[in-house]
Structure formats: C-alpha cells, structure tokens
PDB file of all heavy atoms in Angstrom:
ATOM      1  N   SER U 256      97.767 124.917 105.857  1.00  0.00           N
ATOM      2  CA  SER U 256      97.335 124.717 107.241  1.00  0.00           C
ATOM      3  C   SER U 256      97.591 123.281 107.692  1.00  0.00           C
ATOM      4  O   SER U 256      97.877 122.381 106.925  1.00  0.00           O
ATOM      5  CB  SER U 256      95.842 125.028 107.380  1.00  0.00           C
ATOM      6  OG  SER U 256      95.068 124.039 106.726  1.00  0.00           O
ATOM      7  N   TRP U 257      97.455 123.094 109.006  1.00  0.00           N
ATOM      8  CA  TRP U 257      97.610 121.767 109.589  1.00  0.00           C
ATOM      9  C   TRP U 257      96.577 120.805 109.005  1.00  0.00           C
ATOM     10  O   TRP U 257      96.892 119.663 108.695  1.00  0.00           O
ATOM     11  CB  TRP U 257      97.447 121.878 111.109  1.00  0.00           C
ATOM     12  CG  TRP U 257      97.614 120.568 111.833  1.00  0.00           C
ATOM     13  CD1 TRP U 257      98.781 120.014 112.245  1.00  0.00           C
ATOM     14  CD2 TRP U 257      96.568 119.667 112.203  1.00  0.00           C
ATOM     15  NE1 TRP U 257      98.539 118.805 112.852  1.00  0.00           N
ATOM     16  CE2 TRP U 257      97.180 118.564 112.852  1.00  0.00           C
ATOM     17  CE3 TRP U 257      95.184 119.682 112.074  1.00  0.00           C
ATOM     18  CZ2 TRP U 257      96.448 117.501 113.352  1.00  0.00           C
ATOM     19  CZ3 TRP U 257      94.481 118.603 112.560  1.00  0.00           C
ATOM     20  CH2 TRP U 257      95.108 117.521 113.203  1.00  0.00           C
ATOM     21  N   TYR U 258      95.342 121.294 108.828  1.00  0.00           N
ATOM     22  CA  TYR U 258      94.267 120.473 108.259  1.00  0.00           C
ATOM     23  C   TYR U 258      94.589 120.066 106.812  1.00  0.00           C
ATOM     24  O   TYR U 258      94.351 118.916 106.419  1.00  0.00           O
ATOM     25  CB  TYR U 258      92.925 121.199 108.302  1.00  0.00           C
ATOM     26  CG  TYR U 258      92.426 121.416 109.707  1.00  0.00           C
ATOM     27  CD1 TYR U 258      92.440 122.683 110.272  1.00  0.00           C
ATOM     28  CD2 TYR U 258      91.960 120.354 110.463  1.00  0.00           C
ATOM     29  CE1 TYR U 258      92.005 122.883 111.579  1.00  0.00           C
ATOM     30  CE2 TYR U 258      91.520 120.548 111.755  1.00  0.00           C
ATOM     31  CZ  TYR U 258      91.541 121.804 112.317  1.00  0.00           C
ATOM     32  OH  TYR U 258      91.107 121.991 113.593  1.00  0.00           O
ATOM     33  N   ALA U 259      95.132 120.985 106.050  1.00  0.00           N
ATOM     34  CA  ALA U 259      95.494 120.685 104.663  1.00  0.00           C
ATOM     35  C   ALA U 259      96.571 119.607 104.607  1.00  0.00           C
ATOM     36  O   ALA U 259      96.516 118.692 103.784  1.00  0.00           O
ATOM     37  CB  ALA U 259      95.971 121.948 103.952  1.00  0.00           C
ATOM     38  N   HIS U 260      97.534 119.683 105.510  1.00  0.00           N
ATOM     39  CA  HIS U 260      98.597 118.675 105.550  1.00  0.00           C
ATOM     40  C   HIS U 260      98.042 117.294 105.938  1.00  0.00           C
ATOM     41  O   HIS U 260      98.501 116.259 105.419  1.00  0.00           O
ATOM     42  CB  HIS U 260      99.708 119.089 106.511  1.00  0.00           C
ATOM     43  CG  HIS U 260     100.542 120.218 105.978  1.00  0.00           C
ATOM     44  ND1 HIS U 260     101.586 120.017 105.109  1.00  0.00           N
ATOM     45  CD2 HIS U 260     100.456 121.566 106.163  1.00  0.00           C
ATOM     46  CE1 HIS U 260     102.121 121.177 104.804  1.00  0.00           C
ATOM     47  NE2 HIS U 260     101.458 122.135 105.429  1.00  0.00           N
ATOM     48  N   LYS U 261      97.054 117.286 106.831  1.00  0.00           N
ATOM     49  CA  LYS U 261      96.446 116.014 107.216  1.00  0.00           C
ATOM     50  C   LYS U 261      95.641 115.412 106.047  1.00  0.00           C
ATOM     51  O   LYS U 261      95.643 114.192 105.845  1.00  0.00           O
ATOM     52  CB  LYS U 261      95.562 116.164 108.450  1.00  0.00           C
ATOM     53  CG  LYS U 261      96.337 116.498 109.701  1.00  0.00           C
ATOM     54  CD  LYS U 261      97.367 115.407 109.960  1.00  0.00           C
ATOM     55  CE  LYS U 261      98.348 115.813 111.042  1.00  0.00           C
ATOM     56  NZ  LYS U 261      99.479 114.925 111.141  1.00  0.00           N
ATOM     57  N   ILE U 262      94.962 116.262 105.294  1.00  0.00           N
ATOM     58  CA  ILE U 262      94.234 115.797 104.103  1.00  0.00           C
ATOM     59  C   ILE U 262      95.226 115.248 103.077  1.00  0.00           C
ATOM     60  O   ILE U 262      95.005 114.168 102.501  1.00  0.00           O
ATOM     61  CB  ILE U 262      93.379 116.933 103.506  1.00  0.00           C
ATOM     62  CG1 ILE U 262      92.222 117.253 104.452  1.00  0.00           C
ATOM     63  CG2 ILE U 262      92.883 116.584 102.107  1.00  0.00           C
ATOM     64  CD1 ILE U 262      91.438 118.494 104.101  1.00  0.00           C
ATOM     65  N   ARG U 263      96.329 115.971 102.875  1.00  0.00           N
ATOM     66  CA  ARG U 263      97.393 115.514 101.963  1.00  0.00           C
ATOM     67  C   ARG U 263      97.918 114.143 102.419  1.00  0.00           C
ATOM     68  O   ARG U 263      98.034 113.220 101.608  1.00  0.00           O
ATOM     69  CB  ARG U 263      98.518 116.533 101.945  1.00  0.00           C
ATOM     70  CG  ARG U 263      99.722 116.144 101.143  1.00  0.00           C
ATOM     71  CD  ARG U 263     100.856 117.174 101.335  1.00  0.00           C
ATOM     72  NE  ARG U 263     102.053 116.801 100.631  1.00  0.00           N
ATOM     73  CZ  ARG U 263     102.988 115.986 101.113  1.00  0.00           C
ATOM     74  NH1 ARG U 263     102.868 115.456 102.304  1.00  0.00           N
ATOM     75  NH2 ARG U 263     104.051 115.702 100.387  1.00  0.00           N
ATOM     76  N   ASP U 264      98.212 114.013 103.700  1.00  0.00           N
ATOM     77  CA  ASP U 264      98.710 112.741 104.227  1.00  0.00           C
ATOM     78  C   ASP U 264      97.689 111.619 104.039  1.00  0.00           C
ATOM     79  O   ASP U 264      98.062 110.477 103.735  1.00  0.00           O
ATOM     80  CB  ASP U 264      99.057 112.882 105.714  1.00  0.00           C
ATOM     81  CG  ASP U 264     100.265 113.776 105.956  1.00  0.00           C
ATOM     82  OD1 ASP U 264     101.008 114.064 104.984  1.00  0.00           O
ATOM     83  OD2 ASP U 264     100.464 114.209 107.113  1.00  0.00           O
ATOM     84  N   CYS U 265      96.424 111.931 104.215  1.00  0.00           N
ATOM     85  CA  CYS U 265      95.361 110.935 104.038  1.00  0.00           C
ATOM     86  C   CYS U 265      95.302 110.473 102.583  1.00  0.00           C
ATOM     87  O   CYS U 265      95.205 109.264 102.328  1.00  0.00           O
ATOM     88  CB  CYS U 265      94.023 111.535 104.472  1.00  0.00           C
ATOM     89  SG  CYS U 265      92.635 110.410 104.261  1.00  0.00           S
ATOM     90  N   TRP U 266      95.363 111.402 101.635  1.00  0.00           N
ATOM     91  CA  TRP U 266      95.324 111.029 100.225  1.00  0.00           C
ATOM     92  C   TRP U 266      96.538 110.186  99.844  1.00  0.00           C
ATOM     93  O   TRP U 266      96.429 109.223  99.100  1.00  0.00           O
ATOM     94  CB  TRP U 266      95.235 112.261  99.344  1.00  0.00           C
ATOM     95  CG  TRP U 266      93.919 112.966  99.416  1.00  0.00           C
ATOM     96  CD1 TRP U 266      92.742 112.484  99.908  1.00  0.00           C
ATOM     97  CD2 TRP U 266      93.637 114.289  98.958  1.00  0.00           C
ATOM     98  NE1 TRP U 266      91.758 113.413  99.785  1.00  0.00           N
ATOM     99  CE2 TRP U 266      92.272 114.545  99.215  1.00  0.00           C
ATOM    100  CE3 TRP U 266      94.393 115.294  98.378  1.00  0.00           C
ATOM    101  CZ2 TRP U 266      91.661 115.748  98.889  1.00  0.00           C
ATOM    102  CZ3 TRP U 266      93.789 116.501  98.062  1.00  0.00           C
ATOM    103  CH2 TRP U 266      92.425 116.720  98.315  1.00  0.00           C
ATOM    104  N   ILE U 267      97.695 110.575 100.352  1.00  0.00           N
ATOM    105  CA  ILE U 267      98.910 109.802 100.080  1.00  0.00           C
ATOM    106  C   ILE U 267      98.787 108.405 100.677  1.00  0.00           C
ATOM    107  O   ILE U 267      99.160 107.398 100.053  1.00  0.00           O
ATOM    108  CB  ILE U 267     100.166 110.530 100.609  1.00  0.00           C
ATOM    109  CG1 ILE U 267     100.414 111.797  99.770  1.00  0.00           C
ATOM    110  CG2 ILE U 267     101.377 109.616 100.594  1.00  0.00           C
ATOM    111  CD1 ILE U 267     101.513 112.689 100.333  1.00  0.00           C
ATOM    112  N   SER U 268      98.241 108.319 101.877  1.00  0.00           N
ATOM    113  CA  SER U 268      98.066 107.017 102.544  1.00  0.00           C
ATOM    114  C   SER U 268      97.087 106.130 101.769  1.00  0.00           C
ATOM    115  O   SER U 268      97.331 104.927 101.606  1.00  0.00           O
ATOM    116  CB  SER U 268      97.583 107.238 103.968  1.00  0.00           C
ATOM    117  OG  SER U 268      97.353 106.020 104.603  1.00  0.00           O
ATOM    118  N   GLU U 269      95.999 106.703 101.301  1.00  0.00           N
ATOM    119  CA  GLU U 269      95.028 105.924 100.533  1.00  0.00           C
ATOM    120  C   GLU U 269      95.655 105.397  99.244  1.00  0.00           C
ATOM    121  O   GLU U 269      95.446 104.236  98.865  1.00  0.00           O
ATOM    122  CB  GLU U 269      93.796 106.767 100.217  1.00  0.00           C
ATOM    123  CG  GLU U 269      92.905 107.014 101.404  1.00  0.00           C
ATOM    124  CD  GLU U 269      91.765 107.982 101.106  1.00  0.00           C
ATOM    125  OE1 GLU U 269      91.686 108.514  99.972  1.00  0.00           O
ATOM    126  OE2 GLU U 269      90.961 108.209 102.021  1.00  0.00           O
ATOM    127  N   ALA U 270      96.425 106.241  98.567  1.00  0.00           N
ATOM    128  CA  ALA U 270      97.100 105.801  97.338  1.00  0.00           C
ATOM    129  C   ALA U 270      98.134 104.732  97.654  1.00  0.00           C
ATOM    130  O   ALA U 270      98.290 103.757  96.904  1.00  0.00           O
ATOM    131  CB  ALA U 270      97.743 106.989  96.629  1.00  0.00           C
ATOM    132  N   SER U 271      98.849 104.892  98.759  1.00  0.00           N
ATOM    133  CA  SER U 271      99.854 103.888  99.169  1.00  0.00           C
ATOM    134  C   SER U 271      99.186 102.549  99.445  1.00  0.00           C
ATOM    135  O   SER U 271      99.735 101.497  99.084  1.00  0.00           O
ATOM    136  CB  SER U 271     100.603 104.354 100.408  1.00  0.00           C
ATOM    137  OG  SER U 271     101.414 105.458 100.106  1.00  0.00           O
ATOM    138  N   ASP U 272      98.036 102.586 100.086  1.00  0.00           N
ATOM    139  CA  ASP U 272      97.304 101.333 100.344  1.00  0.00           C
ATOM    140  C   ASP U 272      96.930 100.638  99.041  1.00  0.00           C
ATOM    141  O   ASP U 272      97.047  99.417  98.923  1.00  0.00           O
ATOM    142  CB  ASP U 272      96.045 101.589 101.173  1.00  0.00           C
ATOM    143  CG  ASP U 272      96.335 101.845 102.633  1.00  0.00           C
ATOM    144  OD1 ASP U 272      97.477 101.587 103.078  1.00  0.00           O
ATOM    145  OD2 ASP U 272      95.425 102.319 103.347  1.00  0.00           O
ATOM    146  N   LYS U 273      96.484 101.409  98.067  1.00  0.00           N
ATOM    147  CA  LYS U 273      96.122 100.815  96.787  1.00  0.00           C
ATOM    148  C   LYS U 273      97.347 100.279  96.059  1.00  0.00           C
ATOM    149  O   LYS U 273      97.279  99.249  95.389  1.00  0.00           O
ATOM    150  CB  LYS U 273      95.383 101.822  95.919  1.00  0.00           C
ATOM    151  CG  LYS U 273      93.989 102.104  96.440  1.00  0.00           C
ATOM    152  CD  LYS U 273      93.222 103.039  95.563  1.00  0.00           C
ATOM    153  CE  LYS U 273      91.831 103.229  96.184  1.00  0.00           C
ATOM    154  NZ  LYS U 273      91.005 104.134  95.443  1.00  0.00           N
ATOM    155  N   LEU U 274      98.479 100.967  96.201  1.00  0.00           N
ATOM    156  CA  LEU U 274      99.719 100.479  95.579  1.00  0.00           C
ATOM    157  C   LEU U 274     100.209  99.195  96.246  1.00  0.00           C
ATOM    158  O   LEU U 274     100.750  98.315  95.585  1.00  0.00           O
ATOM    159  CB  LEU U 274     100.809 101.559  95.664  1.00  0.00           C
ATOM    160  CG  LEU U 274     100.675 102.724  94.700  1.00  0.00           C
ATOM    161  CD1 LEU U 274     101.623 103.856  95.088  1.00  0.00           C
ATOM    162  CD2 LEU U 274     100.928 102.293  93.272  1.00  0.00           C
ATOM    163  N   ASP U 275     100.034  99.100  97.557  1.00  0.00           N
ATOM    164  CA  ASP U 275     100.526  97.947  98.313  1.00  0.00           C
ATOM    165  C   ASP U 275      99.606  96.733  98.260  1.00  0.00           C
ATOM    166  O   ASP U 275      99.999  95.646  98.713  1.00  0.00           O
ATOM    167  CB  ASP U 275     100.747  98.328  99.784  1.00  0.00           C
ATOM    168  CG  ASP U 275     101.994  99.153  99.982  1.00  0.00           C
ATOM    169  OD1 ASP U 275     102.916  99.045  99.157  1.00  0.00           O
ATOM    170  OD2 ASP U 275     102.041  99.912 100.964  1.00  0.00           O
ATOM    171  N   GLN U 276      98.410  96.911  97.706  1.00  0.00           N
ATOM    172  CA  GLN U 276      97.467  95.792  97.669  1.00  0.00           C
ATOM    173  C   GLN U 276      98.100  94.572  97.013  1.00  0.00           C
ATOM    174  O   GLN U 276      98.738  94.672  95.968  1.00  0.00           O
ATOM    175  CB  GLN U 276      96.207  96.163  96.886  1.00  0.00           C
ATOM    176  CG  GLN U 276      95.185  96.890  97.675  1.00  0.00           C
ATOM    177  CD  GLN U 276      93.946  97.177  96.848  1.00  0.00           C
ATOM    178  OE1 GLN U 276      93.965  97.189  95.634  1.00  0.00           O
ATOM    179  NE2 GLN U 276      92.846  97.424  97.541  1.00  0.00           N
ATOM    180  N   ARG U 277      97.946  93.448  97.626  1.00  0.00           N
ATOM    181  CA  ARG U 277      98.384  92.140  97.138  1.00  0.00           C
ATOM    182  C   ARG U 277      99.896  91.958  97.069  1.00  0.00           C
ATOM    183  O   ARG U 277     100.376  90.899  96.693  1.00  0.00           O
ATOM    184  CB  ARG U 277      97.758  91.821  95.786  1.00  0.00           C
ATOM    185  CG  ARG U 277      96.271  91.608  95.893  1.00  0.00           C
ATOM    186  CD  ARG U 277      95.654  91.218  94.580  1.00  0.00           C
ATOM    187  NE  ARG U 277      95.065  92.262  93.783  1.00  0.00           N
ATOM    188  CZ  ARG U 277      94.096  93.086  94.140  1.00  0.00           C
ATOM    189  NH1 ARG U 277      93.607  93.041  95.319  1.00  0.00           N
ATOM    190  NH2 ARG U 277      93.601  93.975  93.308  1.00  0.00           N
ATOM    191  N   MET U 278     100.681  92.976  97.429  1.00  0.00           N
ATOM    192  CA  MET U 278     102.143  92.828  97.387  1.00  0.00           C
ATOM    193  C   MET U 278     102.622  91.798  98.428  1.00  0.00           C
ATOM    194  O   MET U 278     103.491  90.988  98.145  1.00  0.00           O
ATOM    195  CB  MET U 278     102.841  94.170  97.597  1.00  0.00           C
ATOM    196  CG  MET U 278     102.732  95.116  96.415  1.00  0.00           C
ATOM    197  SD  MET U 278     103.383  94.433  94.883  1.00  0.00           S
ATOM    198  CE  MET U 278     105.106  94.299  95.284  1.00  0.00           C
ATOM    199  N   LEU U 279     102.032  91.842  99.610  1.00  0.00           N
ATOM    200  CA  LEU U 279     102.421  90.872 100.644  1.00  0.00           C
ATOM    201  C   LEU U 279     102.030  89.454 100.224  1.00  0.00           C
ATOM    202  O   LEU U 279     102.794  88.505 100.426  1.00  0.00           O
ATOM    203  CB  LEU U 279     101.789  91.240 101.987  1.00  0.00           C
ATOM    204  CG  LEU U 279     102.170  90.352 103.175  1.00  0.00           C
ATOM    205  CD1 LEU U 279     103.679  90.394 103.403  1.00  0.00           C
ATOM    206  CD2 LEU U 279     101.434  90.797 104.415  1.00  0.00           C
ATOM    207  N   LEU U 280     100.867  89.318  99.606  1.00  0.00           N
ATOM    208  CA  LEU U 280     100.436  88.002  99.125  1.00  0.00           C
ATOM    209  C   LEU U 280     101.371  87.487  98.045  1.00  0.00           C
ATOM    210  O   LEU U 280     101.736  86.302  98.026  1.00  0.00           O
ATOM    211  CB  LEU U 280      98.997  88.075  98.610  1.00  0.00           C
ATOM    212  CG  LEU U 280      98.402  86.782  98.086  1.00  0.00           C
ATOM    213  CD1 LEU U 280      98.424  85.691  99.153  1.00  0.00           C
ATOM    214  CD2 LEU U 280      96.982  87.027  97.601  1.00  0.00           C
ATOM    215  N   ILE U 281     101.810  88.351  97.152  1.00  0.00           N
ATOM    216  CA  ILE U 281     102.754  87.959  96.095  1.00  0.00           C
ATOM    217  C   ILE U 281     104.051  87.474  96.714  1.00  0.00           C
ATOM    218  O   ILE U 281     104.581  86.417  96.345  1.00  0.00           O
ATOM    219  CB  ILE U 281     102.990  89.119  95.111  1.00  0.00           C
ATOM    220  CG1 ILE U 281     101.728  89.369  94.274  1.00  0.00           C
ATOM    221  CG2 ILE U 281     104.193  88.835  94.223  1.00  0.00           C
ATOM    222  CD1 ILE U 281     101.766  90.639  93.455  1.00  0.00           C
ATOM    223  N   LYS U 282     104.576  88.238  97.676  1.00  0.00           N
ATOM    224  CA  LYS U 282     105.831  87.840  98.328  1.00  0.00           C
ATOM    225  C   LYS U 282     105.658  86.520  99.086  1.00  0.00           C
ATOM    226  O   LYS U 282     106.571  85.688  99.114  1.00  0.00           O
ATOM    227  CB  LYS U 282     106.292  88.936  99.275  1.00  0.00           C
ATOM    228  CG  LYS U 282     106.756  90.180  98.549  1.00  0.00           C
ATOM    229  CD  LYS U 282     107.112  91.289  99.531  1.00  0.00           C
ATOM    230  CE  LYS U 282     107.490  92.555  98.818  1.00  0.00           C
ATOM    231  NZ  LYS U 282     107.757  93.664  99.733  1.00  0.00           N
ATOM    232  N   THR U 283     104.510  86.327  99.674  1.00  0.00           N
ATOM    233  CA  THR U 283     104.232  85.081 100.373  1.00  0.00           C
ATOM    234  C   THR U 283     104.199  83.899  99.410  1.00  0.00           C
ATOM    235  O   THR U 283     104.751  82.827  99.691  1.00  0.00           O
ATOM    236  CB  THR U 283     102.911  85.176 101.156  1.00  0.00           C
ATOM    237  OG1 THR U 283     102.981  86.275 102.064  1.00  0.00           O
ATOM    238  CG2 THR U 283     102.610  83.904 101.909  1.00  0.00           C
ATOM    239  N   LEU U 284     103.562  84.088  98.258  1.00  0.00           N
ATOM    240  CA  LEU U 284     103.500  83.011  97.257  1.00  0.00           C
ATOM    241  C   LEU U 284     104.888  82.688  96.700  1.00  0.00           C
ATOM    242  O   LEU U 284     105.198  81.529  96.445  1.00  0.00           O
ATOM    243  CB  LEU U 284     102.537  83.385  96.136  1.00  0.00           C
ATOM    244  CG  LEU U 284     101.056  83.404  96.525  1.00  0.00           C
ATOM    245  CD1 LEU U 284     100.211  83.956  95.389  1.00  0.00           C
ATOM    246  CD2 LEU U 284     100.578  82.033  96.935  1.00  0.00           C
ATOM    247  N   VAL U 285     105.710  83.727  96.534  1.00  0.00           N
ATOM    248  CA  VAL U 285     107.093  83.494  96.082  1.00  0.00           C
ATOM    249  C   VAL U 285     107.824  82.622  97.100  1.00  0.00           C
ATOM    250  O   VAL U 285     108.523  81.677  96.740  1.00  0.00           O
ATOM    251  CB  VAL U 285     107.831  84.840  95.859  1.00  0.00           C
ATOM    252  CG1 VAL U 285     109.325  84.610  95.683  1.00  0.00           C
ATOM    253  CG2 VAL U 285     107.272  85.578  94.662  1.00  0.00           C
ATOM    254  N   ALA U 286     107.651  82.940  98.373  1.00  0.00           N
ATOM    255  CA  ALA U 286     108.311  82.155  99.435  1.00  0.00           C
ATOM    256  C   ALA U 286     107.704  80.766  99.563  1.00  0.00           C
ATOM    257  O   ALA U 286     108.390  79.826  99.986  1.00  0.00           O
ATOM    258  CB  ALA U 286     108.212  82.899 100.762  1.00  0.00           C
ATOM    259  N   LEU U 287     106.444  80.617  99.185  1.00  0.00           N
ATOM    260  CA  LEU U 287     105.774  79.334  99.312  1.00  0.00           C
ATOM    261  C   LEU U 287     106.209  78.324  98.237  1.00  0.00           C
ATOM    262  O   LEU U 287     106.189  77.116  98.486  1.00  0.00           O
ATOM    263  CB  LEU U 287     104.256  79.557  99.242  1.00  0.00           C
ATOM    264  CG  LEU U 287     103.347  78.391  99.564  1.00  0.00           C
ATOM    265  CD1 LEU U 287     103.554  77.945 101.012  1.00  0.00           C
ATOM    266  CD2 LEU U 287     101.905  78.786  99.340  1.00  0.00           C
ATOM    267  N   CYS U 288     106.615  78.807  97.076  1.00  0.00           N
ATOM    268  CA  CYS U 288     106.979  77.913  95.970  1.00  0.00           C
ATOM    269  C   CYS U 288     108.042  76.881  96.352  1.00  0.00           C
ATOM    270  O   CYS U 288     107.840  75.681  96.131  1.00  0.00           O
ATOM    271  CB  CYS U 288     107.437  78.727  94.762  1.00  0.00           C
ATOM    272  SG  CYS U 288     106.098  79.506  93.867  1.00  0.00           S
ATOM    273  N   PRO U 289     109.191  77.284  96.934  1.00  0.00           N
ATOM    274  CA  PRO U 289     110.174  76.246  97.289  1.00  0.00           C
ATOM    275  C   PRO U 289     109.674  75.320  98.395  1.00  0.00           C
ATOM    276  O   PRO U 289     110.042  74.145  98.434  1.00  0.00           O
ATOM    277  CB  PRO U 289     111.402  77.018  97.742  1.00  0.00           C
ATOM    278  CG  PRO U 289     111.101  78.446  97.652  1.00  0.00           C
ATOM    279  CD  PRO U 289     109.713  78.617  97.154  1.00  0.00           C
ATOM    280  N   LEU U 290     108.820  75.843  99.266  1.00  0.00           N
ATOM    281  CA  LEU U 290     108.292  74.986 100.338  1.00  0.00           C
ATOM    282  C   LEU U 290     107.375  73.906  99.781  1.00  0.00           C
ATOM    283  O   LEU U 290     107.407  72.762 100.238  1.00  0.00           O
ATOM    284  CB  LEU U 290     107.566  75.835 101.368  1.00  0.00           C
ATOM    285  CG  LEU U 290     108.439  76.855 102.114  1.00  0.00           C
ATOM    286  CD1 LEU U 290     107.594  77.703 103.048  1.00  0.00           C
ATOM    287  CD2 LEU U 290     109.543  76.157 102.867  1.00  0.00           C
TER     288      LEU U 290
END
C-alpha cells in the first residue's frame, strides 16, 4: 500500500541519516587542514 511505501521510505531515510552523521564534518575538517 501507499502507507507501507511511506513507512519503508521513512525507515530508509532514518538509516540514511545515521549513515550520513558526521560525514559533512569530516569533509569540512579535511578541507580545513590545508587552510
């Protein structure tokens, strides 16, 4: 159902958020080193 797909999307989004945690900060620190 449409509701099941939205629940699936929500779970995938939550897992993606946990996977992406601190990745932007890491990339920022990499860029900060030469500066």
Side-chain angles (χ1 to χ4, degrees):
S256 70
W257 181 85
Y258 293 108
H260 287 277
K261 293 302 170 191
I262 291 170
R263 175 187 178 274
D264 292 344
C265 179
W266 289 344
I267 291 172
S268 177
E269 287 173 357
S271 291
D272 284 347
K273 289 183 179 179
L274 285 167
D275 284 335
Q276 276 182 339
R277 292 183 264 302
M278 288 302 294
L279 183 60
L280 181 57
I281 290 169
K282 291 176 184 177
T283 302
L284 290 173
V285 168
L287 189 63
C288 285
L290 297 176

